[in-house]
Amino acid sequence: MKIQKTILGPPGCGKTQTNSNLIQSYIESGIEPQRIACVSFSKKAARESKERVCNDWNILEEDLPYFRTLHSMAFGSLGYKTTDVLRGKDMKEIGYQVGLDFASKSASQDTESDFEWIGNQKGDEYLKIYQLSRSRLQSLEEAFQKEGNYNLNYSELTRLVQAYENYKKVKGKVDFTDMIEEFVKQDQCPDLEALIVDEAQDLSTLQWKMIDVVRQSPNIQIFTGDDDQAIMNFQGADVKAFLSATKEKEVLKQSYRIPETVWEEAQKIVTRIDERAPKEWHPKKEKGSIYYHNSLEEVPIEKGEWTILAPTNRLLDRYAFQLREEGWIYSRHDHPSVPRKLYEAILSWESLSKGQEISISQVKNIYDHMVVNEGFKKGFGGRSKKFLEHPPESVFPMDYLRDNLGLLVDGSQRWHQVLGKVGLNTQNYLLNALKRGDNVKNPRIKLSTIHSMKGGESDNILLISDISYAASKEMITRPSTLHRMFYVGVTRTKENLHIMQPETERYYEL
């Protein structure tokens, strides 16, 4: 019997747990884990699904080969190698050929989207239009006209596209969109009995073509997501395809995250969205609170867990600068405002000063933050022969370092006196934070864009209402895009929502 159903999961309604329970029921009915696919648009969603199923039901990760992103599935099934994939350095060469600048962000091994490493130079703007045309299955001219950027030239775009495709052909390279296109062309469905597509509202039109291939064989087909939280329009998300994926719809009705007051604010936003699936769902019993502020100084960030959310990284920069000026430790993109290596060097020096032994790698890290001939003698750096002759498992006390490895200072001096490469401003920033008892390694204050926070939650959310110039233009032509984004922003909180009043003439009205 075929089962085809779309599960609509409003914020905090347990969509991931619902998927996990469904997968367990399929396994209990006799379906082997290897014949169940749980695919997603994002690495984060794919990872969470796999971890939840493994933790809930004691299943090994290797028994779930089809719990992955669509790009990863295409990459594996088509036999590509990481060296086959186009990277930022390739764009530098293409840019040189056509006379365009590219930011050429580094792409890590985890990168699985052609949009992840596109920067903000002129060449990147052209490349974004090209990738959007492919993701949305539009003509290049249509995508160019829709972008409406009068600083760009169509003939320059076509010249870049030609150079881009020629480069890939000559060098034997592919991009991530090529992988999806080739998978669709091959039209070979894996041997599956059950298919779950998570965060399906964020799939592009091209990715839905891949889903059409993957759903050919499984009798069980479940699509989970929330059209109200579809905020990946800038990468070609096709909300209409999500809503038409199946006839049968089920709504998860109880949120375990959103308090009543915040739920009411979310309802005001969601009713502005056009062409959405109606949903009846309920908040948790706690009342929660909403506060409005005119400046960061008014926000009680001295206690509790906080996430500052803004539509763009550029808007976040202002708050990162202000937090640092006021001495607050924070993290951004999982990177603390104090470099981890520096913090580890401080801890290592304090251990050493207390008479403890530290490892060779810890000593090297300390020396990396010292000034030569002030902290240690010249010729005793972390890459010197004196260091290389010691095995990695070696540990040393202070006296050994002073007698044999060139250390010039002793335990009577504090870290800010011996780590001479640390600037005075950073020293004061750290000293104040440590005196206050801030958690430097895992800060309780986080900065994030709304897009990066999707799927996440925090006790306290500070939502920035200012928007960019591009967003203000989109508010005129495609207002639902902004409504969905701020709906996601509002619904990240578990307790209190704090709204920053606009500081510019461009803002979203909350």
Side-chain angles (χ1 to χ4, degrees):
M1 180 179 70
K2 268 194 175 284
I3 299 174
Q4 295 185 346
K5 181 167 64 173
T6 298
I7 298 176
L8 299 168
C13 285
K15 178 172 56 64
T16 303
Q17 188 61 55
T18 298
N19 287 345
S20 178
N21 294 341
L22 284 172
I23 291 163
Q24 176 61 14
S25 70
Y26 301 152
I27 294 172
E28 289 176 347
S29 71
I31 300 176
E32 296 178 356
Q34 296 87 343
R35 300 190 68 193
I36 300 173
C38 185
V39 298
S40 174
F41 160 84
S42 71
K43 299 183 295 293
K44 181 180 178 182
R47 183 173 60 250
E48 285 178 353
S49 294
K50 181 182 284 189
E51 289 175 354
R52 180 68 63 89
V53 170
C54 291
N55 291 335
D56 287 352
W57 313 116
N58 198 27
I59 295 172
L60 299 177
E61 287 195 12
E62 52 263 36
D63 292 331
L64 301 171
Y66 293 110
F67 278 56
R68 57 207 312 182
T69 64
L70 290 173
H71 288 106
S72 177
M73 177 181 280
F75 179 89
S77 66
L78 296 170
Y80 290 117
K81 305 184 295 293
T82 55
T83 53
D84 297 328
V85 184
L86 199 75
R87 297 298 190 194
K89 63 181 181 180
D90 297 303
M91 293 311 304
K92 281 189 176 180
E93 189 170 339
I94 296 170
Y96 179 77
Q97 294 174 12
V98 296
L100 286 170
D101 291 328
F102 290 88
S104 301
K105 292 182 183 178
S106 348
S108 68
Q109 288 186 339
D110 290 333
T111 303
E112 288 192 337
S113 165
D114 290 316
F115 293 93
E116 286 184 37
W117 52 274
I118 290 178
N120 54 11
Q121 297 296 318
K122 190 174 183 181
D124 296 301
E125 291 294 319
Y126 283 123
L127 186 60
K128 183 180 73 172
I129 292 172
Y130 179 46
Q131 299 298 11
L132 269 175
S133 73
R134 300 169 73 193
S135 296
R136 292 173 174 165
L137 301 183
Q138 292 176 325
S139 70
L140 187 62
E141 184 174 3
E142 183 182 0
F144 178 79
Q145 295 295 337
K146 195 168 184 178
E147 187 68 16
N149 188 335
Y150 300 110
N151 295 318
L152 302 180
N153 181 280
Y154 184 68
S155 62
E156 198 166 36
L157 170 61
T158 56
R159 188 158 54 89
L160 168 63
V161 170
Q162 184 176 11
Y164 182 81
E165 292 300 331
N166 285 342
Y167 180 91
K168 289 193 295 180
K169 186 176 181 180
V170 170
K171 299 288 187 178
K173 296 279 187 175
V174 295
D175 62 19
F176 294 107
T177 307
D178 288 325
M179 299 177 197
I180 303 294
E181 290 174 340
E182 185 61 27
F183 189 96
V184 173
K185 183 180 177 181
Q186 295 282 340
D187 195 25
Q188 296 293 320
C189 178
D191 184 19
L192 301 172
E193 289 190 52
L195 168 67
I196 295 177
V197 183
D198 193 18
E199 300 289 356
Q201 79 280 344
D202 287 328
L203 300 186
S204 69
T205 308
L206 175 61
Q207 289 168 332
W208 278 107
K209 289 290 183 184
M210 180 172 173
I211 293 297
D212 288 340
V213 175
V214 177
R215 70 187 296 190
Q216 288 176 14
S217 67
N219 287 322
I220 300 172
Q221 300 175 15
I222 306 294
F223 300 86
T224 64
D226 182 6
D227 56 300
D228 294 330
Q229 299 183 70
I231 61 174
M232 295 298 178
N233 182 65
F234 68 99
Q235 294 190 14
D238 191 337
V239 182
K240 290 183 179 179
F242 168 64
L243 292 176
S244 62
T246 68
K247 291 182 179 179
E248 185 180 352
K249 305 284 194 299
E250 175 188 339
V251 179
L252 303 179
K253 295 184 179 297
Q254 181 59 56
S255 178
Y256 303 97
R257 176 199 306 155
I258 312 300
E260 290 180 10
T261 306
V262 177
W263 177 87
E264 290 169 1
E265 181 67 26
Q267 295 310 300
K268 294 176 188 176
I269 297 173
V270 82
T271 54
R272 306 180 208 171
I273 298 174
D274 296 327
E275 299 181 9
R276 60 178 293 267
K279 306 169 196 69
E280 179 186 337
W281 61 285
H282 309 287
K284 62 184 184 180
K285 291 181 180 180
E286 287 80 2
K287 193 71 175 174
S289 302
I290 299 179
Y291 303 93
Y292 294 85
H293 306 280
N294 292 309
S295 66
L296 187 60
E297 288 83 358
E298 297 179 8
V299 184
I301 58 173
E302 63 274 5
K303 292 182 180 178
E305 175 195 66
W306 287 82
T307 299
I308 300 176
L309 285 183
T312 67
N313 274 305
R314 184 167 293 181
L315 288 167
L316 275 181
D317 289 342
R318 181 191 315 161
Y319 292 89
F321 177 80
Q322 195 170 347
L323 285 171
R324 189 176 181 93
E325 285 291 293
E326 295 179 8
W328 295 107
I329 300 294
Y330 62 88
S331 68
R332 186 174 181 180
H333 305 306
D334 293 326
H335 296 293
S337 53
V338 174
R340 285 194 173 94
K341 287 288 186 183
L342 170 56
Y343 184 56
E344 289 168 2
I346 293 170
L347 295 181
S348 298
W349 180 256
E350 289 184 346
S351 296
L352 198 62
S353 299
K354 292 174 183 176
Q356 300 174 17
E357 295 181 337
I358 62 174
S359 68
I360 187 74
S361 62
Q362 289 174 305
V363 177
K364 288 179 181 178
N365 187 36
I366 288 175
Y367 280 23
D368 284 343
H369 291 88
M370 286 179 166
V371 176
V372 179
N373 287 332
E374 291 182 13
F376 64 91
K377 296 177 186 177
K378 186 177 180 179
F380 286 87
R383 296 171 184 82
S384 65
K385 289 182 180 179
K386 291 286 186 180
F387 269 87
L388 293 175
E389 66 187 23
H390 292 87
E393 64 273 13
S394 302
V395 292
F396 310 100
M398 177 80 73
D399 290 344
Y400 185 90
L401 298 180
R402 287 176 58 80
D403 294 340
N404 300 282
L405 287 177
L407 184 65
L408 295 173
V409 290
D410 59 40
S412 66
Q413 296 169 282
R414 295 294 309 280
W415 66 267
H416 56 279
Q417 297 170 307
V418 301
L419 303 182
K421 288 185 178 180
V422 183
L424 185 60
N425 287 339
T426 301
Q427 285 184 20
N428 291 332
Y429 178 52
L430 255 171
L431 285 166
N432 289 333
L434 293 170
K435 185 177 180 180
R436 195 168 52 231
D438 281 0
N439 188 330
V440 177
K441 193 171 185 179
N442 297 297
R444 59 183 181 78
I445 301 173
K446 297 178 173 60
L447 274 69
S448 174
T449 62
I450 296 173
H451 290 92
S452 298
M453 187 65 176
K454 189 171 178 295
E457 58 185 19
S458 182
D459 291 343
N460 299 284
I461 291 290
L462 174 60
L463 183 60
I464 311 307
S465 58
D466 289 294
I467 59 177
S468 65
Y469 173 71
S472 66
K473 285 175 56 181
E474 191 159 37
M475 193 68 197
I476 298 171
T477 58
R478 293 188 294 270
S480 289
T481 300
L482 271 292
H483 298 325
R484 288 189 176 103
M485 181 169 65
F486 276 90
Y487 176 74
V488 168
V490 163
T491 55
R492 296 310 93 197
T493 186
K494 296 189 287 183
E495 296 178 11
N496 304 302
L497 173 65
H498 295 255
I499 297 172
M500 185 64 71
Q501 299 283 39
E503 298 183 15
T504 68
E505 294 180 355
R506 297 188 296 267
Y507 62 91
Y508 183 85
E509 191 168 348
L510 288 161

